[in-house]
Amino acid sequence: MASKRFENVPADTFFDIFFENPPNSGRRVNIVVIEIGAFGQGFVDIYKNCSRTTSGNEIKPTNLRLDSPIESVIVVEYGGNYELGKKIHETVVFGGQKARIVGSNSEIGERLIVPPSYNLLIRVTNKAGTTTNYSVEIKWWEDVLS
């Protein structure tokens, strides 16, 4: 899993989280849920097959089995520059509660599978009309490819 809190996001601005399964990872990634928490309203758009112009700040994934020596191959970052790919999902976040975006408890209703060489970009736009805080949590598991 990976998570990040974004504090003091100005009204009508956005932040991006870039989630990539590298080309030679040897793993298929199964996203269980992308969860957005917010003090204020927001729009959430998810894109696939985006381009990274400049890298951002790493969000280090954590294995939820804390005694496991296995580390994730996934690259998760924010604050870089990205060219959007194809939009695959859009929804809203209501202030003061969490919204499950992708996964078994979502509007999509199925797990999202990210094969090697694919990426997602999660864009959260502050629509609260004021500065507010958001958090993003992504949970997934990885299959080793034969």
Side-chain angles (χ1 to χ4, degrees):
M1 62 89 55
S3 64
K4 173 73 178 141
R5 181 177 53 241
F6 295 87
E7 298 179 9
N8 302 313
V9 178
D12 294 316
T13 65
F14 64 86
F15 61 87
D16 294 330
I17 302 243
F18 187 75
F19 182 96
E20 178 181 45
N21 187 354
N24 298 316
S25 70
R27 297 187 194 171
R28 179 178 50 230
V29 175
N30 303 274
I31 294 182
V32 176
V33 68
I34 298 172
E35 192 170 72
I36 312 295
F39 286 158
Q41 296 177 356
F43 288 170
V44 178
D45 298 303
I46 300 179
Y47 300 84
K48 71 175 186 175
N49 300 333
C50 301
S51 299
R52 182 190 303 128
T53 307
T54 57
S55 295
N57 302 300
E58 178 184 19
I59 301 172
K60 184 79 172 142
T62 299
N63 190 327
L64 291 177
R65 182 176 162 191
L66 298 179
D67 65 343
S68 174
I70 300 171
E71 294 194 20
S72 176
V73 298
I74 298 306
V75 173
V76 186
E77 65 180 48
Y78 69 96
N81 290 312
Y82 314 100
E83 292 185 30
L84 301 178
K86 180 181 179 183
K87 186 187 287 188
I88 61 170
H89 189 70
E90 59 184 30
T91 191
V92 296
V93 166
F94 301 101
Q97 67 182 22
K98 293 183 178 179
R100 292 187 188 316
I101 306 305
V102 176
S104 56
N105 297 319
S106 74
E107 293 83 358
I108 291 177
E110 298 294 330
R111 287 194 175 110
L112 182 60
I113 298 172
V114 183
S117 300
Y118 279 76
N119 64 58
L120 299 173
L121 183 127
I122 303 152
R123 175 166 284 179
V124 179
T125 304
N126 179 354
K127 296 309 245 179
T130 186
T131 298
T132 195
N133 301 329
Y134 295 89
S135 66
V136 178
E137 181 177 37
I138 308 166
K139 292 181 181 171
W140 71 91
W141 51 278
E142 301 172 19
D143 282 328
V144 176
L145 299 173
S146 309

